[in-house]
Amino acid sequence: MRRPHLPAWLPLDPYILALLGTVGLAALLPARGPAATAADGASTAAVALLFFLYGARLSTREALDGLRHWRLHLTVLACTFLLFPLLGLAARGLVPTLLTPPLYSGLLFLCLVPSTIQSSIAFTSIARGNVPAAICAGSFSSLSGILLTPLLAAGLLGGDAGGFSLDSLLKIVLQLLLPFLLGQALRRWVGGFLVRHKKALGYVDRGSILLVVYTAFSAGMAAGIWHQVSVPRLGALLLVEAVLLAVMLLVTWYGAARLGFGRADRIAIQFAGSKKSLAAGLPMASVLFGAQASLAVLPLMLFHQMQLMVCAVLARRRAQDPPDPELAADRVAEVSLRPQQPTGQAR
């Protein structure tokens, strides 16, 4: 008897399940009193550690090498930090008909978060796209997001994200920028260690983010913030995010074609320019929103799983497309220029 399998187009991310489990734990056993103070301190340290590791892992040489494809990277950055925020601002008209103000703030914050790296690369590879370009585009987006996301959030979200107060600016510098720069400065000495222990440090990354989520949702439970969310509102949020993702997938694909990019580059632009990073967004939200972070990260968590499911289907369909004529011609020329081994020569 064959065991039932889930459809190949429905990737259930175990990490999303862990995140949902963490939210459930915070709902049942929220941190209160001294435990909440300890969890908040640990969360602050975890955010600093995350951005230190981001800085220590980013290869400056790879980033500089990728600048040769500057048109593609500028296109991805424009999609991530210009088009997405404009669509988020346009969604303000849905308040309060479809979205509550806190949910809208979370949706707008989602539009300000940098692109992903790992999943953009994976889907670009599956679809037979320009993988090196996806690596560089994701890296540039993450690096730019260290500065752009907090600044855009402060400007567009106003008081919901702390505004331009000295305290919020100091938090951004101490918890995000300073650890990142320290990681870059120490990369020469710690980079090898991080590469050798990449798998173990991946668990540190994810565990740190789970701690941030637990702290944020515990604070939300203590403040009674979940009484503001109903099932119809969540359904409306999912509908709005589905439309947002569909618009970005269409714009990145057909817009890249209008700009003259080939198929391989269009694939990299589509997957890097239409996605948002949960790993980068969660710790940023904890710094920017404080006790309101629980509702602020909810749209991002839902969008993350939605983009994984949709892009998995899309990548497999792109893999069935005919090869790029220019890329095929380049491969033929490369093969024709290789030195030929004389017939019958012994190996």
Side-chain angles (χ1 to χ4, degrees):
M1 182 177 179
R2 296 181 59 184
R3 295 175 59 185
H5 294 282
L6 292 172
W9 52 267
L10 186 61
L12 291 178
D13 188 355
Y15 191 48
I16 289 293
L17 298 179
L19 285 170
L20 294 176
T22 303
V23 172
L25 178 62
L28 295 174
L29 298 172
R32 300 179 185 274
T37 303
D40 185 62
S43 176
T44 300
V47 170
L49 175 62
L50 278 174
F51 280 84
F52 172 80
L53 293 176
Y54 291 158
R57 289 170 183 166
L58 180 62
S59 171
T60 307
R61 175 174 295 180
E62 289 179 359
L64 292 176
D65 290 341
L67 285 174
R68 291 177 298 179
H69 213 345
W70 60 271
R71 286 184 65 246
L72 184 147
H73 303 317
L74 284 180
T75 301
V76 172
L77 289 176
C79 292
T80 303
F81 297 112
L82 181 60
L83 182 55
F84 252 117
L86 288 176
L87 292 174
L89 290 174
R92 189 184 298 272
L94 302 176
V95 180
T97 306
L98 291 179
L99 301 176
T100 62
L103 286 180
Y104 170 71
S105 296
L107 179 70
L108 183 55
F109 174 71
L110 149 71
C111 294
L112 310 179
V113 170
S115 178
T116 62
I117 299 179
Q118 292 89 346
S119 57
S120 295
I121 296 170
F123 290 134
T124 300
S125 176
I126 292 172
R128 297 185 291 111
N130 189 339
V131 175
I135 294 174
C136 292
S139 300
F140 290 153
S141 179
S142 296
L143 179 60
S144 302
I146 301 295
L147 292 174
L148 290 180
T149 297
L151 291 177
L152 287 172
L156 299 179
L157 289 167
D160 293 334
F164 283 104
S165 68
L166 181 61
D167 182 62
S168 63
L169 180 61
L170 186 61
K171 284 183 178 180
I172 292 170
V173 172
L174 292 179
Q175 289 188 246
L176 305 181
L177 184 58
L178 186 60
F180 178 84
L181 294 177
L182 182 61
Q184 277 281 287
L186 298 179
R187 186 180 185 279
R188 178 180 177 183
W189 294 277
V190 303
F193 174 84
L194 296 180
V195 171
R196 290 192 301 271
H197 299 84
K198 182 178 180 180
K199 184 175 181 180
L201 289 172
Y203 292 113
V204 174
D205 280 0
R206 298 190 170 199
S208 299
I209 293 175
L210 291 177
L211 177 59
V212 170
V213 170
Y214 175 76
T215 304
F217 278 88
S218 290
M221 289 297 299
I225 201 169
W226 282 105
H227 295 295
Q228 305 176 30
V229 184
S230 63
V231 173
R233 292 291 189 182
L234 287 178
L237 175 63
L238 286 172
L239 177 61
V240 172
E241 291 191 338
V243 173
L244 176 65
L245 179 59
V247 169
M248 288 306 302
L249 288 172
L250 290 172
V251 169
T252 50
W253 181 252
Y254 292 105
R258 292 294 297 271
L259 292 175
F261 289 100
R263 175 190 175 277
D265 289 342
R266 290 170 67 191
I267 289 173
I269 291 171
Q270 184 176 53
F271 288 125
S274 64
K275 301 169 74 69
K276 292 296 183 176
S277 173
L278 184 69
L282 287 177
M284 286 183 180
S286 70
V287 176
L288 296 171
F289 290 93
Q292 303 295 318
S294 55
L295 277 184
V297 301
L298 182 61
L300 179 59
M301 291 174 61
L302 296 176
F303 188 84
H304 178 81
Q305 182 62 17
M306 184 184 297
Q307 71 184 10
L308 287 180
M309 296 171 65
V310 173
C311 289
V313 178
L314 191 58
R316 291 187 176 95
R317 291 189 176 181
R318 291 271 180 260
Q320 300 172 3
D321 292 342
D324 193 336
E326 295 182 4
L327 184 60
D330 291 342
R331 289 178 177 175
V332 171
E334 180 183 352
V335 172
S336 64
L337 292 175
R338 291 177 182 172
Q340 300 295 321
Q341 185 177 5
T343 305
Q345 181 175 340
R347 296 189 177 185

